[in-house]
Amino acid sequence: MKLEVRAISDLSPDERAAFFDRDAGVSDVRADVSEIVGRVRQEGDVAVREFCREFDGVEVGNLDITDDAERAYEAIDDDVREAIETAAENIRVFHERQVPDDWRASFSSGADGGDSGSGRRELGRRFRPLERVGVYAPGGTAAYPSSVLMGVVPAKVAGVEHVALATPPAEELNPVTLAAAHVAGADRIYSVGGAQAIGALAYGTESVTAVQKVVGPGNKWVTAAKAEVRGDVDIDFLAGPSEVLVLADDTADPELVASDLVAQAEHDPNASVVAVTDDESLAEDVVAAAEAQVDDRERADVIRAALENDASGVLHARSMSEAVLFAEEYAAEHLSIQADDDEALLDRVTNAGSVFLGPYTPVAAGDYASGTNHVLPTSGGAKRYGGLSVDTFLRSTTVQRLDRDGLAALSETVTTLAEAEGLEAHAESVRTRFEGADTDGAGTEPTDAE
């Protein structure tokens, strides 16, 4: 379908489903992926190398190419090296703001939960990083050093001791990807991609150290593999093709709106790119601007395919309220708001992976260097969870300490509930702490009011 303006109110059920039920295509490859992952788990490096030959057309010698990263860093152009370092620093600074502090607090153990009663409950929470994490950085039709930074830097900020990076092999690996891994601080770098990379990270091989969690974007084979290993290891989330939705009013510049659509379409023919506006004239101008921009882009064929797929389009809303409702149901990976009162529109939006406000905040800024993370939920996932962050790499543990009076104040509540559940030993584990006591009424059962 050619890119054209359509009214939201005129969309058929099938057309609406194309926008809202975006499919990553994982189900189509699950059986094959299960076989790949199973063989990697059983056969280790032998299977990994075989799949590298079959899928990437590359004879891989050493899977561990960590030593190549520093050499690549030294070899790349100065301006590229500086750009990587600037982006990495911005990402690091933003994610350092996310690191939570351990805390402890005292709570009254009075019967009413207030400040009455002499007993105290000291409760708290502490955060500790995972020990071993695997980051996947895509290759294929394009190299993504930015994804290296987005995965590795937050993990290192969180304090993960061993961060492994897997990226697809090639006859000549992209030196910028390797340099980014060096700058980000990856501890190990493996030349393996696709489902076999996820299997190797999850279960380990002779060359690849098994990890506790696998994160990072990838194609449907990578996504299906993450679904396959989930449960044996943790993952971030299952991500599909990239997507953007632009909310625009009559003050928006159609050239800028179109440029964000074209930029996102550059990722993948299956990318979903949508603009929604209450101004029909703007909508027509966005279509014209997008069409004019495509032919000037190097990946014009990919862009055009994405613009013309069923999940892309320029939509006319009867009001900005209808536009916001559409955006909320769509739950975009990237939401750009280009409108006179963008803050007011932002206040009405809940479901979005990352939000870009104003005409001078292109999605590309967040993709590379503003500091926020570009590993984000797709296919409506923003309704349920957020993107990659320091939290992704942390575990939380609760901590508590009760004094005698504090436990006494809770005793009746705990024992009553335990016995209501038929767990007598739980109740007795409280009572036994007061049996034979020689103070405050030895041998008596404390109550919540005590």
Side-chain angles (χ1 to χ4, degrees):
M1 179 186 295
K2 183 179 179 182
L3 188 67
E4 59 184 15
V5 178
R6 287 177 282 171
I8 292 176
S9 58
D10 292 340
L11 294 177
S12 70
D14 286 346
E15 288 175 321
R16 293 183 70 87
F19 284 111
F20 297 142
D21 301 333
R22 305 181 296 282
D23 182 8
V26 170
S27 59
D28 298 336
V29 299
R30 284 293 293 268
D32 289 337
V33 163
S34 181
E35 180 180 350
I36 292 168
V37 170
R39 284 195 55 196
V40 170
R41 188 175 189 179
Q42 293 296 319
E43 302 172 26
D45 285 354
V46 171
V48 169
R49 290 192 172 93
E50 180 180 325
F51 291 130
C52 287
R53 284 193 298 272
E54 180 178 350
F55 298 125
D56 300 298
V58 178
E59 288 284 349
V60 175
N62 290 329
L63 295 177
D64 188 332
I65 56 170
T66 308
D67 292 343
D68 295 341
E70 186 172 359
R71 290 193 290 271
Y73 172 79
E74 297 295 342
I76 62 174
D77 293 342
D78 291 345
D79 58 339
V80 177
R81 186 184 307 109
E82 182 179 352
I84 292 173
E85 290 175 342
T86 298
E89 179 62 17
N90 289 349
I91 294 165
R92 183 174 293 108
V93 169
F94 175 75
H95 287 81
E96 284 173 348
R97 292 290 298 270
Q98 300 175 5
V99 178
D101 293 326
D102 294 355
W103 60 269
R104 297 265 192 107
S106 292
F107 298 83
S108 170
S109 287
D112 60 358
D115 293 331
S116 62
S118 59
R120 304 300 295 178
R121 290 174 289 128
E122 182 182 278
L123 310 178
R125 197 176 184 206
R126 66 176 190 168
F127 301 88
R128 297 295 182 268
L130 299 171
E131 288 86 18
R132 301 177 311 282
V133 165
V135 175
Y136 187 81
T141 59
Y144 293 99
S146 56
S147 290
V148 174
L149 300 179
M150 297 293 176
V152 176
V153 171
K156 298 307 290 185
V157 169
V160 178
E161 183 175 338
H162 176 90
V163 181
L165 173 75
T167 193
E171 292 296 341
E172 184 176 349
L173 281 167
N174 187 309
V176 183
T177 297
L178 293 177
H182 175 73
V183 172
D187 299 290
R188 281 288 178 269
I189 306 168
Y190 301 115
S191 180
V192 54
Q196 57 272 26
I198 305 303
L201 289 170
Y203 301 114
T205 71
E206 297 87 341
S207 300
V208 180
T209 300
V211 300
Q212 297 161 288
K213 188 165 192 170
V214 178
V215 305
N219 61 19
K220 61 185 178 182
W221 295 82
V222 170
T223 303
K226 288 167 72 176
E228 182 74 17
V229 304
R230 181 171 51 182
D232 292 326
V233 296
D234 195 15
I235 65 168
D236 47 359
F237 43 79
L238 302 177
S242 195
E243 54 195 44
V244 65
L245 187 145
V246 183
L247 275 178
D249 68 7
D250 60 353
T251 66
D253 184 329
E255 292 289 337
L256 300 185
V257 174
S259 71
D260 282 336
L261 300 183
V262 169
Q264 208 64 30
E266 186 175 34
H267 277 290
D268 188 315
N270 296 312
S272 177
V273 296
V274 182
V276 187
T277 178
D278 65 344
D279 185 271
E280 190 168 9
S281 177
L282 175 70
E284 297 286 357
D285 290 344
V286 168
V287 169
E291 290 289 340
Q293 291 176 23
V294 172
D295 290 337
D296 293 333
R297 306 279 78 84
E298 292 182 4
R299 292 166 63 86
D301 290 345
V302 173
I303 295 169
R304 193 170 297 282
L307 291 176
E308 294 177 357
N309 76 43
D310 290 343
S312 297
V314 177
L315 301 178
H316 176 231
R318 289 168 292 192
S319 66
M320 287 307 292
S321 292
E322 184 181 44
V324 169
L325 288 173
F326 185 93
E328 278 287 85
E329 181 64 20
Y330 184 92
E333 176 190 21
H334 306 94
L335 174 64
S336 170
I337 303 179
Q338 300 181 38
D340 182 49
D341 196 346
D342 49 26
E343 291 286 354
L345 290 176
L346 176 63
D347 286 344
R348 298 164 64 185
V349 170
T350 302
N351 303 327
S354 188
V355 180
F356 302 78
L357 297 173
Y360 295 103
T361 317
V363 171
D367 282 345
Y368 292 104
S370 66
T372 60
N373 207 291
H374 80 202
V375 182
L376 301 164
T378 64
S379 305
K383 295 177 183 177
R384 302 181 297 279
Y385 46 82
L388 204 69
S389 69
V390 166
D391 293 342
T392 305
F393 305 102
L394 296 175
R395 298 160 291 184
S396 67
T397 303
T398 55
V399 180
Q400 54 195 287
R401 182 194 299 276
L402 278 64
D403 63 14
R404 184 181 187 283
D405 289 341
L407 179 59
L410 289 175
S411 175
E412 185 173 326
T413 297
V414 174
T415 56
T416 298
L417 290 174
E419 289 170 346
E421 293 185 351
L423 300 177
E424 179 195 15
H426 282 64
E428 289 302 315
S429 74
V430 174
R431 292 191 181 103
T432 194
R433 283 167 164 77
F434 298 94
E435 291 174 356
D438 57 3
T439 58
D440 295 334
T444 63
E445 181 180 328
T447 67
D448 282 356
E450 184 173 312

